[in-house]
Amino acid sequence: MTLVGLVRVSTDKQNVDRQHDALDPICVKVFEEKVSGKLAVADRHGLSAALDYLRDGDMLCVQEVDRLGRDTLTGLMTLAELFERGVAVKVLTGVGAGEHKEMSLLLELALVLASERRRDIVKKTKDGLAAARARGRVGGRRPVMTEALTIQAVALREKGFSIRQIQPHLRIGDGKNNGKNPSTGAISQALRDYDNAKEASA
């Protein structure tokens, strides 16, 4: 059995090092894609290339099951198509960790939990930002850390990233600093404001 790896993130700004660190040492080849996990298999160049490379008896390897699909439905459809093609899947970490040759309740549960976790992070972040705006200053310069950037920062922090590790993944979308990374101070302040607002609204 040969392991063939798949690394996926949704955008060019996201870091793939953590996935490569897990897959590169154990896989004969690792395919990478920076596309939405909501796309069909045929529209995902990395996954399609991995499937073309796989031979009978090989196994597709991912770090976490949600690398195969960003939400529950897409993940289930992707897994169903892989199993129909006779492709086995190895998941390294998380609820669905293990080797799988067919759909199981464990895989379904892993996808549901991953999707719920992402929705929970986004909801809490938006709630915290709304509370911060309700208590915030009126006027002044537009903050560098927008709601979207703060949501990204919170999600990365949830994965264990430090502020310095978060910084390269964030890009300012407009104004004179368009395309630049926000400062670590701005990121730290945005995270503090988020945490304080969440506490206040709890």
Side-chain angles (χ1 to χ4, degrees):
M1 179 191 70
T2 298
L3 288 180
V4 177
L6 175 69
V7 166
R8 184 191 68 77
V9 291
S10 297
T11 70
D12 289 332
K13 298 175 183 178
Q14 292 174 286
N15 191 283
V16 294
D17 291 348
R18 185 171 65 95
Q19 293 181 60
H20 274 292
D21 288 346
L23 297 179
D24 289 353
I26 62 173
C27 296
V28 296
K29 189 172 181 65
V30 176
F31 293 87
E32 178 184 311
E33 59 184 9
K34 294 187 176 183
V35 297
S36 170
K38 293 183 178 182
L39 296 177
V41 172
D43 297 322
R44 293 174 54 181
H45 61 276
L47 179 54
S48 296
L51 292 176
D52 288 341
Y53 184 85
L54 286 161
R55 297 294 178 263
D56 288 344
D58 291 348
M59 184 174 288
L60 182 66
C61 184
V62 291
Q63 185 179 29
E64 297 163 322
V65 72
D66 62 352
R67 296 303 90 200
L68 293 172
R70 198 67 189 93
D71 56 53
T72 304
L73 179 59
T74 308
L76 290 173
M77 291 173 63
T78 301
L79 282 167
E81 183 168 344
L82 293 175
F83 294 144
E84 284 177 7
R85 295 188 184 194
V87 176
V89 173
K90 182 180 181 69
V91 181
L92 297 183
T93 61
V95 175
E99 297 180 359
H100 308 275
K101 295 183 178 180
E102 59 185 15
M103 194 63 71
S104 67
L105 287 175
L106 183 63
L107 280 175
E108 292 181 23
L109 176 61
L111 286 167
V112 169
L113 290 176
S115 185
E116 287 295 327
R117 184 171 65 247
R118 180 175 181 271
R119 278 199 294 268
D120 186 54
I121 289 171
V122 171
K123 182 179 184 303
K124 285 181 178 177
T125 302
K126 287 183 176 179
D127 289 348
L129 290 169
R133 283 195 297 270
R135 294 168 174 78
R137 297 185 300 273
V138 178
R141 290 188 306 169
R142 184 176 180 180
V144 169
M145 286 295 291
T146 61
E147 181 174 332
L149 287 177
T150 303
I151 288 174
Q152 281 184 262
V154 170
L156 290 169
R157 186 179 64 175
E158 290 279 340
K159 290 181 174 289
F161 284 61
S162 69
I163 289 176
R164 289 196 177 279
Q165 290 171 324
I166 291 171
Q167 185 186 29
H169 302 294
L170 306 182
R171 291 286 187 279
I172 298 169
D174 55 21
K176 66 177 183 179
N177 293 317
N178 183 32
K180 295 181 180 179
N181 305 115
S183 68
T184 55
I187 298 169
S188 179
Q189 183 62 55
L191 291 173
R192 280 198 301 272
D193 289 344
Y194 163 76
D195 290 337
N196 291 337
K198 188 168 71 170
E199 269 186 39
S201 61

mmCIF file with all atom_site columns, all heavy atoms in Angstrom, residues 7-32:
data_model
loop_
_atom_site.group_PDB
_atom_site.id
_atom_site.type_symbol
_atom_site.label_atom_id
_atom_site.label_alt_id
_atom_site.label_comp_id
_atom_site.label_asym_id
_atom_site.label_entity_id
_atom_site.label_seq_id
_atom_site.pdbx_PDB_ins_code
_atom_site.Cartn_x
_atom_site.Cartn_y
_atom_site.Cartn_z
_atom_site.occupancy
_atom_site.B_iso_or_equiv
_atom_site.pdbx_formal_charge
_atom_site.auth_seq_id
_atom_site.auth_comp_id
_atom_site.auth_asym_id
_atom_site.auth_atom_id
_atom_site.pdbx_PDB_model_num
ATOM 1   N N   . VAL A 1 7  ? -2.955  17.985 0.366  1.00 0.00 ? 7  VAL A N   1
ATOM 2   C CA  . VAL A 1 7  ? -2.948  19.175 1.218  1.00 0.00 ? 7  VAL A CA  1
ATOM 3   C C   . VAL A 1 7  ? -3.920  20.174 0.604  1.00 0.00 ? 7  VAL A C   1
ATOM 4   O O   . VAL A 1 7  ? -3.872  20.427 -0.597 1.00 0.00 ? 7  VAL A O   1
ATOM 5   C CB  . VAL A 1 7  ? -1.535  19.792 1.281  1.00 0.00 ? 7  VAL A CB  1
ATOM 6   C CG1 . VAL A 1 7  ? -1.576  21.193 1.869  1.00 0.00 ? 7  VAL A CG1 1
ATOM 7   C CG2 . VAL A 1 7  ? -0.612  18.898 2.097  1.00 0.00 ? 7  VAL A CG2 1
ATOM 8   N N   . ARG A 1 8  ? -4.828  20.715 1.431  1.00 0.00 ? 8  ARG A N   1
ATOM 9   C CA  . ARG A 1 8  ? -5.761  21.706 0.901  1.00 0.00 ? 8  ARG A CA  1
ATOM 10  C C   . ARG A 1 8  ? -5.963  22.862 1.874  1.00 0.00 ? 8  ARG A C   1
ATOM 11  O O   . ARG A 1 8  ? -6.127  22.654 3.072  1.00 0.00 ? 8  ARG A O   1
ATOM 12  C CB  . ARG A 1 8  ? -7.132  21.094 0.620  1.00 0.00 ? 8  ARG A CB  1
ATOM 13  C CG  . ARG A 1 8  ? -8.095  22.094 -0.037 1.00 0.00 ? 8  ARG A CG  1
ATOM 14  C CD  . ARG A 1 8  ? -9.526  21.591 -0.089 1.00 0.00 ? 8  ARG A CD  1
ATOM 15  N NE  . ARG A 1 8  ? -10.116 21.505 1.229  1.00 0.00 ? 8  ARG A NE  1
ATOM 16  C CZ  . ARG A 1 8  ? -10.558 22.540 1.937  1.00 0.00 ? 8  ARG A CZ  1
ATOM 17  N NH1 . ARG A 1 8  ? -10.455 23.767 1.447  1.00 0.00 ? 8  ARG A NH1 1
ATOM 18  N NH2 . ARG A 1 8  ? -11.082 22.368 3.127  1.00 0.00 ? 8  ARG A NH2 1
ATOM 19  N N   . VAL A 1 9  ? -5.918  24.070 1.336  1.00 0.00 ? 9  VAL A N   1
ATOM 20  C CA  . VAL A 1 9  ? -6.391  25.265 2.025  1.00 0.00 ? 9  VAL A CA  1
ATOM 21  C C   . VAL A 1 9  ? -7.278  26.018 1.037  1.00 0.00 ? 9  VAL A C   1
ATOM 22  O O   . VAL A 1 9  ? -7.244  25.750 -0.163 1.00 0.00 ? 9  VAL A O   1
ATOM 23  C CB  . VAL A 1 9  ? -5.242  26.172 2.513  1.00 0.00 ? 9  VAL A CB  1
ATOM 24  C CG1 . VAL A 1 9  ? -4.474  25.513 3.653  1.00 0.00 ? 9  VAL A CG1 1
ATOM 25  C CG2 . VAL A 1 9  ? -4.302  26.525 1.367  1.00 0.00 ? 9  VAL A CG2 1
ATOM 26  N N   . SER A 1 10 ? -8.067  26.957 1.547  1.00 0.00 ? 10 SER A N   1
ATOM 27  C CA  . SER A 1 10 ? -9.056  27.610 0.694  1.00 0.00 ? 10 SER A CA  1
ATOM 28  C C   . SER A 1 10 ? -8.491  28.761 -0.132 1.00 0.00 ? 10 SER A C   1
ATOM 29  O O   . SER A 1 10 ? -8.976  29.035 -1.231 1.00 0.00 ? 10 SER A O   1
ATOM 30  C CB  . SER A 1 10 ? -10.218 28.121 1.544  1.00 0.00 ? 10 SER A CB  1
ATOM 31  O OG  . SER A 1 10 ? -10.872 27.041 2.175  1.00 0.00 ? 10 SER A OG  1
ATOM 32  N N   . THR A 1 11 ? -7.458  29.449 0.377  1.00 0.00 ? 11 THR A N   1
ATOM 33  C CA  . THR A 1 11 ? -6.942  30.632 -0.313 1.00 0.00 ? 11 THR A CA  1
ATOM 34  C C   . THR A 1 11 ? -5.421  30.631 -0.337 1.00 0.00 ? 11 THR A C   1
ATOM 35  O O   . THR A 1 11 ? -4.764  29.920 0.447  1.00 0.00 ? 11 THR A O   1
ATOM 36  C CB  . THR A 1 11 ? -7.402  31.933 0.375  1.00 0.00 ? 11 THR A CB  1
ATOM 37  O OG1 . THR A 1 11 ? -6.730  32.067 1.637  1.00 0.00 ? 11 THR A OG1 1
ATOM 38  C CG2 . THR A 1 11 ? -8.910  31.928 0.602  1.00 0.00 ? 11 THR A CG2 1
ATOM 39  N N   . ASP A 1 12 ? -4.858  31.466 -1.216 1.00 0.00 ? 12 ASP A N   1
ATOM 40  C CA  . ASP A 1 12 ? -3.406  31.588 -1.332 1.00 0.00 ? 12 ASP A CA  1
ATOM 41  C C   . ASP A 1 12 ? -2.774  32.148 -0.064 1.00 0.00 ? 12 ASP A C   1
ATOM 42  O O   . ASP A 1 12 ? -1.578  31.971 0.178  1.00 0.00 ? 12 ASP A O   1
ATOM 43  C CB  . ASP A 1 12 ? -3.031  32.497 -2.508 1.00 0.00 ? 12 ASP A CB  1
ATOM 44  C CG  . ASP A 1 12 ? -3.310  31.837 -3.847 1.00 0.00 ? 12 ASP A CG  1
ATOM 45  O OD1 . ASP A 1 12 ? -3.273  30.594 -3.903 1.00 0.00 ? 12 ASP A OD1 1
ATOM 46  O OD2 . ASP A 1 12 ? -3.560  32.559 -4.826 1.00 0.00 ? 12 ASP A OD2 1
ATOM 47  N N   . LYS A 1 13 ? -3.559  32.846 0.753  1.00 0.00 ? 13 LYS A N   1
ATOM 48  C CA  . LYS A 1 13 ? -3.023  33.485 1.948  1.00 0.00 ? 13 LYS A CA  1
ATOM 49  C C   . LYS A 1 13 ? -2.824  32.502 3.100  1.00 0.00 ? 13 LYS A C   1
ATOM 50  O O   . LYS A 1 13 ? -2.133  32.812 4.060  1.00 0.00 ? 13 LYS A O   1
ATOM 51  C CB  . LYS A 1 13 ? -3.960  34.607 2.406  1.00 0.00 ? 13 LYS A CB  1
ATOM 52  C CG  . LYS A 1 13 ? -4.122  35.729 1.387  1.00 0.00 ? 13 LYS A CG  1
ATOM 53  C CD  . LYS A 1 13 ? -5.145  36.744 1.856  1.00 0.00 ? 13 LYS A CD  1
ATOM 54  C CE  . LYS A 1 13 ? -5.373  37.823 0.812  1.00 0.00 ? 13 LYS A CE  1
ATOM 55  N NZ  . LYS A 1 13 ? -6.406  38.798 1.230  1.00 0.00 ? 13 LYS A NZ  1
ATOM 56  N N   . GLN A 1 14 ? -3.436  31.337 3.004  1.00 0.00 ? 14 GLN A N   1
ATOM 57  C CA  . GLN A 1 14 ? -3.358  30.380 4.100  1.00 0.00 ? 14 GLN A CA  1
ATOM 58  C C   . GLN A 1 14 ? -2.099  29.524 4.004  1.00 0.00 ? 14 GLN A C   1
ATOM 59  O O   . GLN A 1 14 ? -1.621  29.202 2.916  1.00 0.00 ? 14 GLN A O   1
ATOM 60  C CB  . GLN A 1 14 ? -4.608  29.497 4.119  1.00 0.00 ? 14 GLN A CB  1
ATOM 61  C CG  . GLN A 1 14 ? -5.870  30.262 4.492  1.00 0.00 ? 14 GLN A CG  1
ATOM 62  C CD  . GLN A 1 14 ? -7.106  29.400 4.371  1.00 0.00 ? 14 GLN A CD  1
ATOM 63  O OE1 . GLN A 1 14 ? -7.583  29.108 3.290  1.00 0.00 ? 14 GLN A OE1 1
ATOM 64  N NE2 . GLN A 1 14 ? -7.629  28.975 5.512  1.00 0.00 ? 14 GLN A NE2 1
ATOM 65  N N   . ASN A 1 15 ? -1.586  29.149 5.164  1.00 0.00 ? 15 ASN A N   1
ATOM 66  C CA  . ASN A 1 15 ? -0.329  28.409 5.249  1.00 0.00 ? 15 ASN A CA  1
ATOM 67  C C   . ASN A 1 15 ? -0.573  26.902 5.160  1.00 0.00 ? 15 ASN A C   1
ATOM 68  O O   . ASN A 1 15 ? -1.515  26.383 5.752  1.00 0.00 ? 15 ASN A O   1
ATOM 69  C CB  . ASN A 1 15 ? 0.365   28.761 6.571  1.00 0.00 ? 15 ASN A CB  1
ATOM 70  C CG  . ASN A 1 15 ? 1.783   28.246 6.614  1.00 0.00 ? 15 ASN A CG  1
ATOM 71  O OD1 . ASN A 1 15 ? 2.007   27.065 6.828  1.00 0.00 ? 15 ASN A OD1 1
ATOM 72  N ND2 . ASN A 1 15 ? 2.743   29.120 6.418  1.00 0.00 ? 15 ASN A ND2 1
ATOM 73  N N   . VAL A 1 16 ? 0.291   26.213 4.413  1.00 0.00 ? 16 VAL A N   1
ATOM 74  C CA  . VAL A 1 16 ? 0.143   24.770 4.238  1.00 0.00 ? 16 VAL A CA  1
ATOM 75  C C   . VAL A 1 16 ? 1.230   23.981 4.968  1.00 0.00 ? 16 VAL A C   1
ATOM 76  O O   . VAL A 1 16 ? 1.287   22.749 4.862  1.00 0.00 ? 16 VAL A O   1
ATOM 77  C CB  . VAL A 1 16 ? 0.169   24.396 2.729  1.00 0.00 ? 16 VAL A CB  1
ATOM 78  C CG1 . VAL A 1 16 ? -1.037  24.970 2.009  1.00 0.00 ? 16 VAL A CG1 1
ATOM 79  C CG2 . VAL A 1 16 ? 1.459   24.880 2.070  1.00 0.00 ? 16 VAL A CG2 1
ATOM 80  N N   . ASP A 1 17 ? 2.118   24.678 5.692  1.00 0.00 ? 17 ASP A N   1
ATOM 81  C CA  . ASP A 1 17 ? 3.263   24.008 6.308  1.00 0.00 ? 17 ASP A CA  1
ATOM 82  C C   . ASP A 1 17 ? 2.847   22.902 7.277  1.00 0.00 ? 17 ASP A C   1
ATOM 83  O O   . ASP A 1 17 ? 3.458   21.830 7.308  1.00 0.00 ? 17 ASP A O   1
ATOM 84  C CB  . ASP A 1 17 ? 4.137   25.029 7.052  1.00 0.00 ? 17 ASP A CB  1
ATOM 85  C CG  . ASP A 1 17 ? 4.854   25.978 6.108  1.00 0.00 ? 17 ASP A CG  1
ATOM 86  O OD1 . ASP A 1 17 ? 4.857   25.690 4.888  1.00 0.00 ? 17 ASP A OD1 1
ATOM 87  O OD2 . ASP A 1 17 ? 5.397   26.991 6.571  1.00 0.00 ? 17 ASP A OD2 1
ATOM 88  N N   . ARG A 1 18 ? 1.819   23.163 8.082  1.00 0.00 ? 18 ARG A N   1
ATOM 89  C CA  . ARG A 1 18 ? 1.405   22.186 9.092  1.00 0.00 ? 18 ARG A CA  1
ATOM 90  C C   . ARG A 1 18 ? 0.960   20.873 8.437  1.00 0.00 ? 18 ARG A C   1
ATOM 91  O O   . ARG A 1 18 ? 1.320   19.784 8.899  1.00 0.00 ? 18 ARG A O   1
ATOM 92  C CB  . ARG A 1 18 ? 0.262   22.762 9.927  1.00 0.00 ? 18 ARG A CB  1
ATOM 93  C CG  . ARG A 1 18 ? -0.186  21.903 11.094 1.00 0.00 ? 18 ARG A CG  1
ATOM 94  C CD  . ARG A 1 18 ? -1.162  22.664 11.977 1.00 0.00 ? 18 ARG A CD  1
ATOM 95  N NE  . ARG A 1 18 ? -2.392  22.950 11.275 1.00 0.00 ? 18 ARG A NE  1
ATOM 96  C CZ  . ARG A 1 18 ? -3.495  22.182 11.337 1.00 0.00 ? 18 ARG A CZ  1
ATOM 97  N NH1 . ARG A 1 18 ? -3.494  21.090 12.076 1.00 0.00 ? 18 ARG A NH1 1
ATOM 98  N NH2 . ARG A 1 18 ? -4.590  22.512 10.684 1.00 0.00 ? 18 ARG A NH2 1
ATOM 99  N N   . GLN A 1 19 ? 0.224   20.989 7.341  1.00 0.00 ? 19 GLN A N   1
ATOM 100 C CA  . GLN A 1 19 ? -0.224  19.781 6.640  1.00 0.00 ? 19 GLN A CA  1
ATOM 101 C C   . GLN A 1 19 ? 0.950   19.060 5.978  1.00 0.00 ? 19 GLN A C   1
ATOM 102 O O   . GLN A 1 19 ? 1.051   17.827 6.028  1.00 0.00 ? 19 GLN A O   1
ATOM 103 C CB  . GLN A 1 19 ? -1.288  20.141 5.603  1.00 0.00 ? 19 GLN A CB  1
ATOM 104 C CG  . GLN A 1 19 ? -2.588  20.645 6.207  1.00 0.00 ? 19 GLN A CG  1
ATOM 105 C CD  . GLN A 1 19 ? -3.626  20.961 5.149  1.00 0.00 ? 19 GLN A CD  1
ATOM 106 O OE1 . GLN A 1 19 ? -4.034  20.095 4.378  1.00 0.00 ? 19 GLN A OE1 1
ATOM 107 N NE2 . GLN A 1 19 ? -4.055  22.216 5.091  1.00 0.00 ? 19 GLN A NE2 1
ATOM 108 N N   . HIS A 1 20 ? 1.848   19.846 5.359  1.00 0.00 ? 20 HIS A N   1
ATOM 109 C CA  . HIS A 1 20 ? 3.012   19.216 4.719  1.00 0.00 ? 20 HIS A CA  1
ATOM 110 C C   . HIS A 1 20 ? 3.903   18.526 5.764  1.00 0.00 ? 20 HIS A C   1
ATOM 111 O O   . HIS A 1 20 ? 4.459   17.451 5.502  1.00 0.00 ? 20 HIS A O   1
ATOM 112 C CB  . HIS A 1 20 ? 3.823   20.253 3.944  1.00 0.00 ? 20 HIS A CB  1
ATOM 113 C CG  . HIS A 1 20 ? 3.332   20.476 2.555  1.00 0.00 ? 20 HIS A CG  1
ATOM 114 N ND1 . HIS A 1 20 ? 3.415   19.517 1.568  1.00 0.00 ? 20 HIS A ND1 1
ATOM 115 C CD2 . HIS A 1 20 ? 2.724   21.554 1.974  1.00 0.00 ? 20 HIS A CD2 1
ATOM 116 C CE1 . HIS A 1 20 ? 2.909   19.992 0.447  1.00 0.00 ? 20 HIS A CE1 1
ATOM 117 N NE2 . HIS A 1 20 ? 2.478   21.223 0.667  1.00 0.00 ? 20 HIS A NE2 1
ATOM 118 N N   . ASP A 1 21 ? 4.056   19.139 6.923  1.00 0.00 ? 21 ASP A N   1
ATOM 119 C CA  . ASP A 1 21 ? 4.876   18.530 7.976  1.00 0.00 ? 21 ASP A CA  1
ATOM 120 C C   . ASP A 1 21 ? 4.331   17.161 8.371  1.00 0.00 ? 21 ASP A C   1
ATOM 121 O O   . ASP A 1 21 ? 5.092   16.247 8.726  1.00 0.00 ? 21 ASP A O   1
ATOM 122 C CB  . ASP A 1 21 ? 4.918   19.432 9.215  1.00 0.00 ? 21 ASP A CB  1
ATOM 123 C CG  . ASP A 1 21 ? 5.764   20.674 9.002  1.00 0.00 ? 21 ASP A CG  1
ATOM 124 O OD1 . ASP A 1 21 ? 6.520   20.706 8.015  1.00 0.00 ? 21 ASP A OD1 1
ATOM 125 O OD2 . ASP A 1 21 ? 5.652   21.612 9.810  1.00 0.00 ? 21 ASP A OD2 1
ATOM 126 N N   . ALA A 1 22 ? 3.010   17.007 8.326  1.00 0.00 ? 22 ALA A N   1
ATOM 127 C CA  . ALA A 1 22 ? 2.391   15.731 8.697  1.00 0.00 ? 22 ALA A CA  1
ATOM 128 C C   . ALA A 1 22 ? 2.441   14.706 7.569  1.00 0.00 ? 22 ALA A C   1
ATOM 129 O O   . ALA A 1 22 ? 2.641   13.507 7.813  1.00 0.00 ? 22 ALA A O   1
ATOM 130 C CB  . ALA A 1 22 ? 0.933   15.967 9.114  1.00 0.00 ? 22 ALA A CB  1
ATOM 131 N N   . LEU A 1 23 ? 2.306   15.168 6.331  1.00 0.00 ? 23 LEU A N   1
ATOM 132 C CA  . LEU A 1 23 ? 2.166   14.239 5.202  1.00 0.00 ? 23 LEU A CA  1
ATOM 133 C C   . LEU A 1 23 ? 3.475   13.906 4.489  1.00 0.00 ? 23 LEU A C   1
ATOM 134 O O   . LEU A 1 23 ? 3.681   12.761 4.063  1.00 0.00 ? 23 LEU A O   1
ATOM 135 C CB  . LEU A 1 23 ? 1.183   14.814 4.178  1.00 0.00 ? 23 LEU A CB  1
ATOM 136 C CG  . LEU A 1 23 ? -0.262  15.021 4.645  1.00 0.00 ? 23 LEU A CG  1
ATOM 137 C CD1 . LEU A 1 23 ? -1.091  15.626 3.521  1.00 0.00 ? 23 LEU A CD1 1
ATOM 138 C CD2 . LEU A 1 23 ? -0.883  13.719 5.101  1.00 0.00 ? 23 LEU A CD2 1
ATOM 139 N N   . ASP A 1 24 ? 4.348   14.896 4.332  1.00 0.00 ? 24 ASP A N   1
ATOM 140 C CA  . ASP A 1 24 ? 5.563   14.682 3.535  1.00 0.00 ? 24 ASP A CA  1
ATOM 141 C C   . ASP A 1 24 ? 6.412   13.492 3.997  1.00 0.00 ? 24 ASP A C   1
ATOM 142 O O   . ASP A 1 24 ? 6.926   12.741 3.152  1.00 0.00 ? 24 ASP A O   1
ATOM 143 C CB  . ASP A 1 24 ? 6.423   15.951 3.522  1.00 0.00 ? 24 ASP A CB  1
ATOM 144 C CG  . ASP A 1 24 ? 5.786   17.068 2.697  1.00 0.00 ? 24 ASP A CG  1
ATOM 145 O OD1 . ASP A 1 24 ? 4.760   16.813 2.044  1.00 0.00 ? 24 ASP A OD1 1
ATOM 146 O OD2 . ASP A 1 24 ? 6.304   18.199 2.714  1.00 0.00 ? 24 ASP A OD2 1
ATOM 147 N N   . PRO A 1 25 ? 6.578   13.275 5.313  1.00 0.00 ? 25 PRO A N   1
ATOM 148 C CA  . PRO A 1 25 ? 7.449   12.171 5.732  1.00 0.00 ? 25 PRO A CA  1
ATOM 149 C C   . PRO A 1 25 ? 6.882   10.775 5.454  1.00 0.00 ? 25 PRO A C   1
ATOM 150 O O   . PRO A 1 25 ? 7.637   9.802  5.427  1.00 0.00 ? 25 PRO A O   1
ATOM 151 C CB  . PRO A 1 25 ? 7.584   12.389 7.253  1.00 0.00 ? 25 PRO A CB  1
ATOM 152 C CG  . PRO A 1 25 ? 7.206   13.810 7.487  1.00 0.00 ? 25 PRO A CG  1
ATOM 153 C CD  . PRO A 1 25 ? 6.161   14.107 6.465  1.00 0.00 ? 25 PRO A CD  1
ATOM 154 N N   . ILE A 1 26 ? 5.566   10.665 5.256  1.00 0.00 ? 26 ILE A N   1
ATOM 155 C CA  . ILE A 1 26 ? 4.966   9.322  5.140  1.00 0.00 ? 26 ILE A CA  1
ATOM 156 C C   . ILE A 1 26 ? 4.377   9.041  3.763  1.00 0.00 ? 26 ILE A C   1
ATOM 157 O O   . ILE A 1 26 ? 4.005   7.894  3.478  1.00 0.00 ? 26 ILE A O   1
ATOM 158 C CB  . ILE A 1 26 ? 3.879   9.103  6.212  1.00 0.00 ? 26 ILE A CB  1
ATOM 159 C CG1 . ILE A 1 26 ? 2.733   10.102 6.036  1.00 0.00 ? 26 ILE A CG1 1
ATOM 160 C CG2 . ILE A 1 26 ? 4.467   9.212  7.616  1.00 0.00 ? 26 ILE A CG2 1
ATOM 161 C CD1 . ILE A 1 26 ? 1.545   9.826  6.964  1.00 0.00 ? 26 ILE A CD1 1
ATOM 162 N N   . CYS A 1 27 ? 4.304   10.031 2.896  1.00 0.00 ? 27 CYS A N   1
ATOM 163 C CA  . CYS A 1 27 ? 3.680   9.861  1.580  1.00 0.00 ? 27 CYS A CA  1
ATOM 164 C C   . CYS A 1 27 ? 4.733   9.867  0.475  1.00 0.00 ? 27 CYS A C   1
ATOM 165 O O   . CYS A 1 27 ? 5.711   10.604 0.548  1.00 0.00 ? 27 CYS A O   1
ATOM 166 C CB  . CYS A 1 27 ? 2.661   10.968 1.308  1.00 0.00 ? 27 CYS A CB  1
ATOM 167 S SG  . CYS A 1 27 ? 1.249   10.965 2.436  1.00 0.00 ? 27 CYS A SG  1
ATOM 168 N N   . VAL A 1 28 ? 4.519   9.044  -0.554 1.00 0.00 ? 28 VAL A N   1
ATOM 169 C CA  . VAL A 1 28 ? 5.470   9.007  -1.670 1.00 0.00 ? 28 VAL A CA  1
ATOM 170 C C   . VAL A 1 28 ? 5.347   10.275 -2.516 1.00 0.00 ? 28 VAL A C   1
ATOM 171 O O   . VAL A 1 28 ? 6.303   10.703 -3.161 1.00 0.00 ? 28 VAL A O   1
ATOM 172 C CB  . VAL A 1 28 ? 5.242   7.764  -2.553 1.00 0.00 ? 28 VAL A CB  1
ATOM 173 C CG1 . VAL A 1 28 ? 5.512   6.512  -1.763 1.00 0.00 ? 28 VAL A CG1 1
ATOM 174 C CG2 . VAL A 1 28 ? 3.842   7.744  -3.139 1.00 0.00 ? 28 VAL A CG2 1
ATOM 175 N N   . LYS A 1 29 ? 4.144   10.870 -2.504 1.00 0.00 ? 29 LYS A N   1
ATOM 176 C CA  . LYS A 1 29 ? 3.915   12.111 -3.247 1.00 0.00 ? 29 LYS A CA  1
ATOM 177 C C   . LYS A 1 29 ? 2.774   12.858 -2.560 1.00 0.00 ? 29 LYS A C   1
ATOM 178 O O   . LYS A 1 29 ? 1.816   12.237 -2.086 1.00 0.00 ? 29 LYS A O   1
ATOM 179 C CB  . LYS A 1 29 ? 3.564   11.821 -4.710 1.00 0.00 ? 29 LYS A CB  1
ATOM 180 C CG  . LYS A 1 29 ? 3.524   13.067 -5.594 1.00 0.00 ? 29 LYS A CG  1
ATOM 181 C CD  . LYS A 1 29 ? 3.359   12.681 -7.050 1.00 0.00 ? 29 LYS A CD  1
ATOM 182 C CE  . LYS A 1 29 ? 3.340   13.901 -7.971 1.00 0.00 ? 29 LYS A CE  1
ATOM 183 N NZ  . LYS A 1 29 ? 4.632   14.612 -7.973 1.00 0.00 ? 29 LYS A NZ  1
ATOM 184 N N   . VAL A 1 30 ? 2.898   14.177 -2.506 1.00 0.00 ? 30 VAL A N   1
ATOM 185 C CA  . VAL A 1 30 ? 1.859   14.999 -1.872 1.00 0.00 ? 30 VAL A CA  1
ATOM 186 C C   . VAL A 1 30 ? 1.373   16.038 -2.877 1.00 0.00 ? 30 VAL A C   1
ATOM 187 O O   . VAL A 1 30 ? 2.171   16.806 -3.433 1.00 0.00 ? 30 VAL A O   1
ATOM 188 C CB  . VAL A 1 30 ? 2.380   15.703 -0.603 1.00 0.00 ? 30 VAL A CB  1
ATOM 189 C CG1 . VAL A 1 30 ? 1.302   16.628 -0.024 1.00 0.00 ? 30 VAL A CG1 1
ATOM 190 C CG2 . VAL A 1 30 ? 2.808   14.682 0.446  1.00 0.00 ? 30 VAL A CG2 1
ATOM 191 N N   . PHE A 1 31 ? 0.070   16.041 -3.137 1.00 0.00 ? 31 PHE A N   1
ATOM 192 C CA  . PHE A 1 31 ? -0.544  17.023 -4.023 1.00 0.00 ? 31 PHE A CA  1
ATOM 193 C C   . PHE A 1 31 ? -1.119  18.154 -3.179 1.00 0.00 ? 31 PHE A C   1
ATOM 194 O O   . PHE A 1 31 ? -1.599  17.928 -2.065 1.00 0.00 ? 31 PHE A O   1
ATOM 195 C CB  . PHE A 1 31 ? -1.637  16.372 -4.864 1.00 0.00 ? 31 PHE A CB  1
ATOM 196 C CG  . PHE A 1 31 ? -1.104  15.378 -5.856 1.00 0.00 ? 31 PHE A CG  1
ATOM 197 C CD1 . PHE A 1 31 ? -0.910  14.051 -5.483 1.00 0.00 ? 31 PHE A CD1 1
ATOM 198 C CD2 . PHE A 1 31 ? -0.789  15.771 -7.145 1.00 0.00 ? 31 PHE A CD2 1
ATOM 199 C CE1 . PHE A 1 31 ? -0.410  13.123 -6.386 1.00 0.00 ? 31 PHE A CE1 1
ATOM 200 C CE2 . PHE A 1 31 ? -0.288  14.848 -8.061 1.00 0.00 ? 31 PHE A CE2 1
ATOM 201 C CZ  . PHE A 1 31 ? -0.093  13.526 -7.680 1.00 0.00 ? 31 PHE A CZ  1
ATOM 202 N N   . GLU A 1 32 ? -1.069  19.343 -3.721 1.00 0.00 ? 32 GLU A N   1
ATOM 203 C CA  . GLU A 1 32 ? -1.517  20.521 -2.976 1.00 0.00 ? 32 GLU A CA  1
ATOM 204 C C   . GLU A 1 32 ? -2.505  21.321 -3.808 1.00 0.00 ? 32 GLU A C   1
ATOM 205 O O   . GLU A 1 32 ? -2.356  21.444 -5.026 1.00 0.00 ? 32 GLU A O   1
ATOM 206 C CB  . GLU A 1 32 ? -0.312  21.400 -2.625 1.00 0.00 ? 32 GLU A CB  1
ATOM 207 C CG  . GLU A 1 32 ? -0.664  22.676 -1.878 1.00 0.00 ? 32 GLU A CG  1
ATOM 208 C CD  . GLU A 1 32 ? 0.556   23.551 -1.635 1.00 0.00 ? 32 GLU A CD  1
ATOM 209 O OE1 . GLU A 1 32 ? 1.575   23.026 -1.148 1.00 0.00 ? 32 GLU A OE1 1
ATOM 210 O OE2 . GLU A 1 32 ? 0.490   24.765 -1.938 1.00 0.00 ? 32 GLU A OE2 1
#
